[in-house]
Amino acid sequence: MVKLHDLYFKPFVSEQKLDAIVEKMANDVAADLGDEVPVFIGILNGSFMVVSDFVKKYPKPCEVTFIKLASYEGVKSTEDIQRLIGLTQDLTGRTVVILEDIIDTGNTLEEVHRIFKNENVKQLLIATLFYKPEAYNKDFKLHYVGMEIPNKFIVGYGLDYDGLGRDLPAVYQLKTTQHMTNLVLFGPPGAGKGTQADFLKEKYDLVHISTGDVFRFNIKNKTALGMLAKSFIDKGELVPDQVTIDMLNKEVEKNADAKGFIFDGFPRTNAQAKALDELMENKDSQINAMVALEVDDEVLVQRLLKRGETSGRADDADEGIIRNRIKEYYKKTAILKDYYAEQNKYYGVDGVGSIEDITVRLSAAIDKL
Ligand code: IMP
Ligand code: MG
């Protein structure tokens, strides 16, 4: 990911891919022009990288020059008229190939056509590395297009965002969802996860997604995914990860404007953690941290036994069962701790103390993200 000024950009076209595209363009043009020696004209500033690579790959003799279009100073942008800088060469009878980094609305191209009308060239061909068909509103033919792209803002390889990013060797695309805080919340039974999740949700304006709740909701409301999940549960089988992920995806989509999510009860396996990463990636986002409440086993046992005295939950009343639940938790989550630790995303937080103390510790970890 790249940050330029206030915006985040994600990888879009790699150096290798750019290289292949430019090479193909150069070969296509060469094949069409035969023995004609063309004049390649780059439109500055954006085209400097693509022109440099293009002419290096052009397999035959050629000339290369640059022009720049600049707005007349002192003229309001609404009545913007472009002025040409740099065209000093006589182009009479020559084959001219305009090399552009990107064609968006086609306004620049219109100016180019206007300017070249009086140059008596033999032919004027247009080659562009990137082309946004959804934004283009002119009729000029584009003879060579390296890559058609969606109508999203890109940077790198000559293209800038407010002056920055031209130097990047690859191309990046603007992230449409801006920065979110997405947490995976973990804690052994009795660690106080529910209490802290409620607090984090309020403080950071996050949406709490508890997989258990999502399952119950979908099954109760007989959604397609709920029925599918139930069919596995009824057979005594585990619900496949994809079904769970699809449900979570729906929850994330329902809350498209959220500042972030707290995932609770998911992931439980490496495969699920990967699937969750993919889901977030598709939303132009990522899991920022696994936050785990760390509480000593003996403290947990005492807390749960105490809770059992009033809660009436059978699984909170028996010390053997409690110890087993705790053991199971560590057995299952150790892998996930490693998964997130490898990405420097594991934050263990001391879960012993008053609710407020623990809250302060959690906030300190999250504020650092
Ligand atoms: P036009 O709309 O085709 O005239 O394109 C105008 C200019 O806008 C291009 O030459 C680029 O300098 C700039 N531009 C258009 N789309 C992008 C983009 O996605 N990233 C960076 N610059 C862009
Ligand atoms: Mg340009």
Side-chain angles (χ1 to χ4, degrees), residues 43-47 99-103 108 159 166:
I43 315 285
L44 291 173
N45 291 328
S47 72
L99 287 180
E100 264 285 33
D101 45 332
I102 190 162
I103 292 179
T108 310
L159 292 155
R166 293 197 197 278

Side-chain angles (χ1 to χ4, degrees), residues 110-164:
E110 185 167 46
E111 290 299 319
V112 167
H113 276 277
R114 191 176 58 74
I115 288 158
F116 279 84
K117 229 170 40 206
N118 305 319
E119 294 294 325
N120 301 315
V121 300
K122 179 176 165 193
Q123 56 175 339
L124 182 68
L125 299 173
I126 310 298
T128 184
L129 175 59
F130 292 111
Y131 168 49
K132 295 178 179 170
E134 294 156 46
Y136 191 60
N137 57 33
K138 302 285 186 270
D139 293 321
F140 305 108
K141 183 173 162 68
L142 308 181
H143 302 84
Y144 304 95
V145 171
M147 185 180 179
E148 287 193 5
I149 60 168
N151 193 7
K152 286 190 180 167
F153 196 77
I154 58 172
V155 293
Y157 199 65
L159 292 155
D160 73 308
Y161 164 49
D162 202 5
L164 293 180

Side-chain angles (χ1 to χ4, degrees), residues 14-27 40 46-59 62 64 66 99 129 156-158 166 168-171:
S14 68
E15 278 185 76
Q16 291 89 326
K17 179 127 189 255
L18 287 169
D19 198 68
I21 294 170
V22 174
E23 180 158 333
K24 179 169 186 310
M25 281 175 75
N27 288 328
F40 291 117
S47 72
F48 75 98
M49 277 216 195
V50 64
V51 172
S52 166
D53 285 344
F54 182 99
V55 296
K56 277 182 273 180
K57 292 176 191 303
Y58 196 74
C62 64
V64 56
F66 289 91
L99 287 180
L129 175 59
Y157 199 65
R166 293 197 197 278
L168 299 168
V171 170

